[in-house]
Amino acid sequence: MSEKDAVERRWSIGELARASGTTVRALYHYDEIGLLRASERTASGHRRYTEGDLRRLYRVRALRALGLSLEEIAGVLADSPDDLETMRALLAAQLHDLEDQAGRIDRLRQRLHGLLGKLDDASMPDTDQFMMTLETMSVFETYFTQEQQDQLAERRADLGPAAVEEAKARWVDLVGELLPHVQADTPVDDPRVRDLVSRWDALGSAFHADGEQGERTKAAAQRMWDDNSADLGRRLPWPADQMVALVAYVGRVRQAS
Amino acid sequence: MSEKDAVERRWSIGELARASGTTVRALYHYDEIGLLRASERTASGHRRYTEGDLRRLYRVRALRALGLSLEEIAGVLADSPDDLETMRALLAAQLHDLEDQAGRIDRLRQRLHGLLGKLDDASMPDTDQFMMTLETMSVFETYFTQEQQDQLAERRADLGPAAVEEAKARWVDLVGELLPHVQADTPVDDPRVRDLVSRWDALGSAFHADGEQGERTKAAAQRMWDDNSADLGRRLPWPADQMVALVAYVGRVRQAS
DNA sequence: CTTGAACCTCCCGCGACGGGAGGTTCTAGC
DNA sequence: GCTAGAACCTCCCGTCGCGGGAGGTTCAAG
């Protein structure tokens, strides 16, 4: 009899919180949402938790430590009298979620690492420059999918930094030659501008992959320039409105051919 | 004049959302919290965003893509006219946060991986067994710090699974020899029980590190058993109430020596 | 019998929006 | 000028897992 009484212990909410390493507030919450209610109450309304409640709480805490939501926990603790398969599926799904998160966090880490490197270099002179880098990143993300960005980065790595710089320089030359035509409004079927634009396109093509994927990436780049020429142009050494006019003009030249 | 008008474009909220890859709702939110308000309104109250607003939005999006909170973003966009150091500190802190998260996620992944492995083995017969494993994990986490658990795991790895199994078997033998004494209530200073308990303690010591750290881990294990002998005992092949009595008895024997 | 700790219920708060209700305004076609 | 439908406006409730406080009651020890 006394042995039985010793085993059938009851816990107040504070005792349970201390015994399980949670807080009283969390236990109120579990009670509210029906995840873990005290099996008994005293006459005055104080919660009395039984040993069964304590065991349930340990299960709840263990499953939460695995990252499951309270709703998922309520699910497995309720509907699976001995359904291991439900549990397996839930844990597998949870693992899959975590792999996803780990991937995202890793990409973010690399980005932050790169940015911090740039900040430590002398290569980043002021906040404005840095912000412009960020803006450009943001615009890129709006127009290119993750895979497309990876492709572009890979392509740049293949070509090597020297080739990229040379392409940039040649592109600057092209812009320099084209701007006067824009201002003079040279007819869009003039062989001189057609030649310049075809060299322009060839220059861009070097950065895209071959085949259908490359075409889609090119189309995305085109949309980006059409929508944002004013904004992207600000990053360049010419007045933004001239760049807007230039992009529009180049588009008309392409259409004419 | 007409050129200026062309440059000073305005965007409606929907246009801005499409141009930046966000949602109208998010823009309302940014307006509400003062992070990005439309510089102008039409006579009827519709928002008109200027090019400056668009640029600010790109910055906001870029910083959000790095995982910064809207509050942090408002901070750097407001108080740093050209303060690169604030930015650097913020990004460094963010990177540190991410490292933390990556660590937690990695540990969770390993745990989930291990659990799924056990589920796929024939080693996990039913849900109840599995839940008990989880409960035990939960209790361990309540009483041992992360480092202490790592230490214990390392120690077990050092000893090797064969030694661990042998220790378990010898401990089972000890319990088998001690239980009759508990039931008979053999005096706690009887040399036979003192010998049994000292062998018990020696067995446990093999799993703890030497020095002060090991002592703290032992103390934590002691607290765990004292608080939870009924619950932990259920996992063992003897009745739970006998285990409770046993733990209490062993405690008295230790005190007597 | 008192006092302080523990307990009770009810309610607001976070962060970054999503989504809906219920109303007004813009825009294109007739 | 009229109408329909798209776009816009403001206000408000919901998310998830509690934290924290107000304002009151009950318990346990001295």
Side-chain angles (χ1 to χ4, degrees):
Chain A
M1 197 64 169
S2 72
E3 272 190 43
K4 265 195 181 171
D5 283 353
V7 171
E8 290 195 7
R9 195 183 150 185
R10 297 297 131 104
W11 287 261
S12 75
I13 194 166
E15 287 166 346
L16 197 67
R18 275 191 302 276
S20 64
T22 38
T23 65
V24 171
R25 192 56 189 81
L27 293 176
Y28 281 137
H29 184 59
Y30 297 160
D31 193 323
E32 253 184 58
I33 65 173
L35 176 59
L36 174 66
R37 7 194 70 126
S39 295
E40 301 173 2
R41 296 273 186 141
T42 66
S44 60
H46 287 193
R47 289 168 178 77
R48 295 289 98 167
Y49 290 90
T50 65
E51 213 179 295
D53 296 336
L54 175 60
R55 281 170 43 90
R56 187 175 170 92
L57 177 55
Y58 276 130
R59 296 181 178 196
V60 168
R61 297 301 295 174
L63 292 170
R64 263 211 53 77
L66 296 178
L68 301 186
S69 73
L70 297 185
E71 200 179 343
E72 291 169 325
I73 294 173
V76 285
L77 289 188
D79 71 27
S80 70
D82 50 350
D83 184 4
L84 265 187
E85 199 42 49
T86 308
M87 178 67 84
R88 230 200 75 84
L90 193 58
L91 294 189
Q94 178 65 14
L95 183 55
H96 186 257
D97 264 24
L98 285 180
E99 310 275 7
D100 263 23
Q101 282 189 47
R104 270 200 301 277
I105 287 184
D106 243 39
R107 283 194 294 276
L108 258 187
R109 280 205 292 175
Q110 287 187 9
R111 281 253 274 278
L112 277 170
H113 198 77
L115 285 172
L116 280 170
K118 281 194 185 176
L119 278 175
D120 285 340
D121 277 5
S123 69
M124 193 55 68
D126 57 28
T127 316
D128 247 34
Q129 265 294 316
F130 183 67
M131 281 301 192
M132 283 192 178
T133 309
L134 287 186
E135 283 177 54
T136 310
M137 278 176 41
S138 178
V139 175
F140 264 66
E141 272 160 31
T142 304
Y143 286 91
F144 298 111
T145 66
Q146 183 60 47
E147 296 86 36
Q148 287 176 332
Q149 289 185 54
D150 291 348
Q151 267 181 27
L152 289 172
E154 197 187 335
R155 194 77 179 159
R156 276 201 303 276
D158 283 357
L159 293 171
V164 172
E165 282 310 312
E166 201 205 310
K168 271 190 197 168
R170 292 213 284 160
W171 184 75
V172 167
D173 290 346
L174 277 177
V175 172
E177 291 188 61
L178 269 167
L179 274 179
H181 289 291
V182 177
Q183 310 236 285
D185 206 16
T186 308
V188 292
D189 54 358
D190 187 299
R192 291 171 302 170
V193 297
R194 292 177 83 142
D195 180 52
L196 285 171
V197 168
S198 75
R199 277 160 60 197
W200 168 305
D201 286 341
L203 208 54
S205 288
F207 291 92
H208 297 283
D210 295 328
E212 201 196 337
Q213 290 206 349
E215 289 307 315
R216 272 206 295 273
T217 311
K218 268 193 223 175
Q222 192 60 48
R223 277 200 308 278
M224 180 178 80
W225 273 103
D226 287 350
D227 290 3
N228 292 78
S229 51
D231 202 57
L232 291 168
R234 210 187 326 280
R235 234 129 298 173
L236 303 171
W238 303 279
D241 55 346
Q242 286 189 24
M243 287 306 292
V244 174
L246 176 67
V247 168
Y249 182 77
V250 169
R252 289 204 303 280
V253 173
R254 278 206 200 88
Q255 280 227 309
S257 66
Chain B
M1 195 63 170
S2 72
E3 273 190 6
K4 265 195 179 170
D5 283 355
V7 171
E8 290 195 5
R9 195 183 152 186
R10 299 296 131 104
W11 287 261
S12 74
I13 194 167
E15 287 166 346
L16 197 69
R18 276 191 300 274
S20 64
T22 39
T23 65
V24 171
R25 192 57 188 79
L27 294 176
Y28 282 135
H29 184 59
Y30 296 160
D31 192 325
E32 254 185 55
I33 63 172
L35 175 59
L36 173 67
R37 7 195 68 127
S39 294
E40 302 173 1
R41 296 274 187 141
T42 66
S44 59
H46 287 193
R47 289 168 178 77
R48 296 288 99 167
Y49 290 91
T50 66
E51 213 179 294
D53 296 336
L54 176 60
R55 282 170 42 91
R56 187 175 170 92
L57 177 55
Y58 276 130
R59 295 181 178 196
V60 169
R61 296 302 295 173
L63 292 170
R64 264 214 48 79
L66 296 178
L68 301 186
S69 73
L70 297 185
E71 201 179 343
E72 290 168 326
I73 294 172
V76 285
L77 288 187
D79 71 27
S80 71
D82 52 348
D83 184 5
L84 266 186
E85 199 41 51
T86 308
M87 177 68 82
R88 228 200 76 86
L90 193 58
L91 294 189
Q94 178 65 14
L95 184 55
H96 186 256
D97 264 26
L98 284 179
E99 311 274 8
D100 262 24
Q101 281 190 45
R104 271 200 301 277
I105 288 185
D106 243 39
R107 283 195 295 275
L108 258 187
R109 280 206 290 177
Q110 288 188 8
R111 282 253 272 277
L112 276 170
H113 197 77
L115 285 172
L116 281 170
K118 280 193 186 175
L119 277 175
D120 285 341
D121 277 5
S123 69
M124 195 53 70
D126 56 30
T127 314
D128 247 35
Q129 266 293 317
F130 182 68
M131 282 300 192
M132 282 191 178
T133 308
L134 288 185
E135 283 177 55
T136 311
M137 278 174 41
S138 178
V139 175
F140 263 67
E141 272 159 33
T142 303
Y143 286 91
F144 297 112
T145 67
Q146 184 59 49
E147 298 84 38
Q148 286 176 329
Q149 288 185 54
D150 290 348
Q151 266 182 27
L152 289 171
E154 196 187 335
R155 195 76 181 159
R156 275 201 304 277
D158 282 355
L159 293 170
V164 173
E165 283 310 313
E166 202 204 311
K168 270 191 199 169
R170 293 212 284 160
W171 183 73
V172 168
D173 289 346
L174 278 176
V175 173
E177 291 188 63
L178 269 167
L179 275 179
H181 288 293
V182 178
Q183 308 235 282
D185 206 19
T186 306
V188 292
D189 54 357
D190 185 301
R192 289 169 306 168
V193 296
R194 291 179 84 142
D195 179 53
L196 285 171
V197 168
S198 76
R199 276 160 62 197
W200 168 304
D201 285 340
L203 208 51
S205 289
F207 291 91
H208 297 282
D210 296 328
E212 204 196 336
Q213 290 206 351
E215 288 308 315
R216 272 205 296 273
T217 311
K218 268 193 222 175
Q222 191 61 47
R223 278 201 306 279
M224 180 177 79
W225 274 103
D226 286 351
D227 290 3
N228 292 77
S229 51
D231 202 57
L232 291 167
R234 211 187 326 282
R235 234 130 298 172
L236 302 172
W238 306 279
D241 54 345
Q242 287 188 27
M243 288 306 293
V244 175
L246 175 67
V247 168
Y249 181 78
V250 170
R252 288 203 304 278
V253 173
R254 277 204 200 90
Q255 282 227 304
S257 68

